[in-house]
Amino acid sequence: ALREDGAVHYRDFRIVPHGLTIGATESGKSVYQRNLVAGLAAQDVALVGIDCKQGVELFPLARRFSALADNQDTALDLLEALVSHMEYVYQLVREEQRISVNVPDAEIAADIWDLAEDLRPTPVVVLVDEVSELALFASKEEEKRRDRIITALV
């Protein structure tokens, strides 16, 4: 991506895997997001999108996504599936740690990048357009769904 001053913004997701893009209307958040998807599309990653405004931002990029939720109900299903996947990945990492007193700390697997390439699961990149849309509710039932969404997201 390019910064406001035209300098290149490079991000290594292996080092900084989480981010939040914020800014005023017309500040370039959507352009950044589209460029990010375009850049990641050529990589060996699974792209997952959540856009609870019926997909107005992410739907044009849908063919590159492995999954795309466009409302709170499908977002909840998707987030809970990602939590299950995350539990599988943690178990895989744990199985491969092979920790003993003789293993130096630097050789202990702590995430997928420490796994052998043939064991490493495909990295999952999750893009959420408008995080606030996940937290909206108007009824007690929707509040329960919101709580499950936020728990899964966290």
Side-chain angles (χ1 to χ4, degrees), residues 114-150:
D114 293 331
L115 296 173
E117 196 168 335
D118 62 321
L119 294 175
R120 187 177 308 141
T122 300
V124 178
V125 177
V126 180
L127 297 169
V128 180
D129 190 84
E130 299 288 347
V131 173
S132 62
E133 295 285 331
L134 295 172
L136 298 176
F137 67 93
S139 68
K140 266 305 204 198
E141 195 60 38
E142 289 177 357
E143 183 179 20
K144 290 177 187 175
R145 178 188 60 203
R146 186 274 324 256
D147 291 347
R148 289 176 60 202
I149 288 172
I150 299 304

Side-chain angles (χ1 to χ4, degrees), residues 6 12 42 73 96 102 124 132:
D12 187 340
D73 290 325
E96 293 301 313
N102 298 327
V124 178
S132 62

Side-chain angles (χ1 to χ4, degrees), residues 57-79:
E57 287 290 337
L58 297 181
F59 186 76
L61 309 169
R63 68 175 181 257
R64 179 51 186 95
F65 283 93
S66 299
L68 179 57
D70 66 356
N71 61 62
Q72 288 177 321
D73 290 325
T74 57
L76 175 58
D77 293 341
L78 181 53
L79 287 167

Side-chain angles (χ1 to χ4, degrees), residues 94-124:
R94 184 175 173 187
E95 289 170 5
E96 293 301 313
Q97 284 178 325
R98 297 187 181 97
I99 299 174
S100 73
V101 293
N102 298 327
V103 177
D105 288 347
E107 293 179 19
I108 297 172
D111 59 35
I112 66 170
W113 305 113
D114 293 331
L115 296 173
E117 196 168 335
D118 62 321
L119 294 175
R120 187 177 308 141
T122 300
V124 178

